[in-house]
Amino acid sequence: MNTLRYAIIGTGMMGQEHLRNLALVNQTQTWKTEVVALIDPDETMRNEAADLAHSLGFNSAITYSQLSTVPMDNIDAFVIVSPNFTHHQVITELLPTGKAILAEKPVCTKLEHCQDLLQRLEGYPAAFWVAMEYRYMPPTARFIERLATGEIGQVRMLTIKEHRYPFLEKIGDWNRFSDNTGGTLVEKCCHHFDLMRLLTGSEPLRVFASGGMDVNHLDERYNGKTPDILDNALVIVDFENGVRASLELCMFADGAEPQEQLTAIGDKGKLDAYIPGPDRFWPEAGERHSRVVLSPRDQSAPVVDIVEVDPTLAAAGDHHGSTFYQHIQFGQAVLHNGAVEVSAQDGVIAVQMGAAAQESIRTGQAVDMKSFLMNASR
Ligand SMILES: NC(=O)c1ccc[n+]([C@@H]2O[C@H](COP(=O)([O-])OP(=O)(O)OC[C@H]3O[C@@H](n4cnc5c(N)ncnc54)[C@H](O)[C@@H]3O)[C@@H](O)[C@H]2O)c1
């Protein structure tokens, strides 16, 4: 097999980013990608995606309003890009096919679904991969690589900051309510919790958080209801190996530069990654580069490493080309039994950490992960 035939389930903003990146994979790799099915209940979105797919050379892409009507025989891999609250149901529907699945984060929105998915996926015969694009952004990938060299010694503290624009508008406004998204710390911050686990190489012991919806969405009403999603939060996580990690999220910082900052401090030095937001929101800003900066403890000057992002890849989405790099790895996993780099377990733990942080905000107490998950499974 040298061609992978994909079905895209959900053809909104992110579904179309996947389409553009699958086309780039097709143009740059020795193996080929084809998109054969575009599934979306919204007629406007599926027609828009069909036009895009055809313009990208995916001439066999056919649209469907429902997954149940799609012929499965000619599909090798599914990409789930429907709203968060649909993921568990869509995955459940796909499992009998035994085919490869790339499921957008968060893999599910409810704790009971986390356990259920892990059980059902045990022994799954094909690649099941949770899409965590933040891992694959070139500056983040460089940061991960550099940490692994041990140049800052043993990491003791880790800080992730994201200061950005508010949640964008979505089809049917599904992202305005926690019941649909899992809550901001699940929906958006599962990325950050996934990175924390990856960077510390450890598992979370306890989580303490404070947050609220203080600026955005206050005047919005949907069927008479006010949104209930956090727009800012601080989260502290203690890890089993003693590393202390924190997350600072602010979603009313539209002009922030950089948008994200990763900081790891070890016994020999400090490493930072500075990551600008997507170019399309700053058309006038000119060139903005991601940087990884090493500040050694011996106080010799900081060493700045500029991380270039291929402009074609950057233009294909909002994630510095990460969707492209992730598709290459996912494709290798499907074609050549390559490693699944973001497993169902990774996706589930990131959701559980987000849910624990939401619980901490609700109760004002630190949440012990073990007891939290044990209570949830009763
Ligand atoms: N990894 C990332 O960085 C990243 C970034 C953005 C979005 N996402 C994830 O991608 C998913 C989609 O987000 P989006 O921004 O594209 O939202 P969107 O609202 O723009 O698009 C979602 C689309 O799914 C369709 N849809 C609804 N129910 C469906 C169903 N049962 N089956 C098929 N399609 C269905 C909607 O009609 C809509 O067109 C979400 O899970 C979101 O969390 C991930």
Side-chain angles (χ1 to χ4, degrees):
M1 179 163 64
N2 193 36
T3 300
L4 283 184
R5 298 160 302 174
Y6 290 82
I8 311 287
I9 304 171
T11 60
M13 188 195 82
M14 195 62 198
Q16 295 184 27
E17 177 166 328
H18 280 285
L19 276 177
R20 287 191 294 273
N21 283 282
L22 284 171
L24 287 173
V25 172
N26 200 28
Q27 289 157 21
T28 55
Q29 304 303 301
T30 52
W31 49 283
K32 296 292 158 206
T33 58
E34 243 183 58
V35 174
V36 293
L38 296 165
I39 303 122
D40 199 306
D42 186 286
E43 189 180 4
T44 310
M45 293 317 291
R46 60 175 189 270
N47 288 341
E48 198 180 283
D51 289 346
L52 174 64
H54 296 153
S55 76
L56 293 167
F58 294 130
N59 296 322
S60 20
I62 295 177
T63 58
Y64 302 87
S65 62
Q66 281 178 42
L67 185 55
S68 57
T69 60
V70 179
M72 301 287 177
D73 295 354
N74 67 338
I75 294 169
D76 301 308
F78 295 92
V79 186
I80 303 177
V81 213
S82 50
N84 303 357
F85 65 92
T86 65
H87 292 180
H88 179 255
Q89 172 59 33
V90 172
I91 294 169
T92 305
E93 216 171 318
L94 291 179
L95 290 183
T97 68
K99 301 207 178 190
I101 299 174
L102 176 64
E104 264 301 341
K105 54 66 17 189
V107 65
C108 58
T109 54
K110 297 193 182 335
L111 288 175
E112 63 266 30
H113 289 165
C114 286
Q115 262 336 96
D116 180 61
L117 283 182
L118 288 183
Q119 272 164 17
R120 283 167 190 254
L121 280 161
E122 223 175 280
Y124 191 63
F128 183 92
W129 183 306
V130 180
M132 287 289 187
E133 280 81 5
Y134 279 36
R135 286 190 183 200
Y136 296 91
M137 289 185 191
T140 311
R142 181 80 55 88
F143 185 83
I144 295 168
E145 219 176 271
R146 295 276 300 264
L147 266 195
T149 65
E151 63 189 338
I152 63 163
Q154 193 184 352
V155 174
R156 306 305 318 183
M157 296 181 76
L158 175 71
T159 305
I160 301 180
K161 282 190 200 171
E162 181 158 352
H163 293 174
R164 57 161 267 184
Y165 48 90
F167 280 116
L168 300 173
E169 286 179 16
K170 297 287 161 194
I171 309 303
D173 305 307
W174 63 268
N175 66 346
R176 286 331 197 227
F177 294 96
S178 295
D179 204 35
N180 295 334
T181 66
T184 299
L185 297 179
V186 170
E187 138 74 0
K188 154 122 225 82
C189 301
C190 60
H191 278 302
H192 305 116
F193 297 129
D194 175 61
L195 278 183
M196 282 183 187
R197 289 182 60 243
L198 185 68
L199 293 167
T200 60
S202 185
E203 296 299 340
L205 272 180
R206 81 185 67 80
V207 176
F208 180 63
S210 168
M213 189 180 79
D214 296 326
V215 176
N216 300 336
H217 319 302
L218 295 169
D219 302 333
E220 297 174 12
R221 297 288 177 278
Y222 302 93
N223 297 324
K225 281 166 60 187
T226 310
D228 64 354
I229 45 172
L230 306 173
D231 63 9
N232 70 106
L234 296 171
V235 184
I236 292 175
V237 185
D238 281 332
F239 278 87
E240 283 173 0
N241 64 358
V243 177
R244 281 176 244 290
S246 76
L247 165 68
E248 179 177 320
L249 175 75
C250 178
M251 300 192 67
F252 43 87
D254 310 50
E257 176 62 33
Q259 180 171 300
E260 279 140 47
Q261 184 176 344
L262 312 174
T263 301
I265 310 180
D267 52 2
K268 294 198 185 118
K270 175 173 180 263
L271 195 67
D272 291 283
Y274 299 95
I275 310 172
D279 288 339
R280 71 174 166 127
F281 296 114
W282 287 271
E284 309 295 328
E287 276 194 38
R288 298 168 311 133
H289 292 287
S290 294
R291 287 163 291 145
V292 173
V293 180
L294 170 69
S295 308
R297 266 187 97 186
D298 63 12
Q299 298 179 338
S300 53
V303 186
V304 180
D305 178 8
I306 302 283
V307 184
E308 301 288 351
V309 176
D310 179 329
T312 312
L313 299 188
D318 286 342
H319 303 94
H320 299 258
S322 61
T323 306
F324 170 80
Y325 294 115
Q326 181 177 254
H327 267 299
I328 291 179
Q329 296 309 109
F330 175 72
Q332 299 295 347
V334 182
L335 285 168
H336 306 299
N337 279 329
V340 168
E341 294 178 356
V342 194
S343 65
Q345 170 111 351
D346 292 324
V348 158
I349 298 176
V351 168
Q352 291 170 332
M353 291 175 74
Q358 300 267 154
E359 176 70 0
S360 175
I361 291 172
R362 195 183 67 77
T363 60
Q365 305 294 316
V367 171
D368 174 81
M369 285 302 293
K370 255 196 199 128
S371 354
F372 176 61
L373 297 177
M374 210 178 284
N375 288 338
S377 66
R378 280 195 187 126

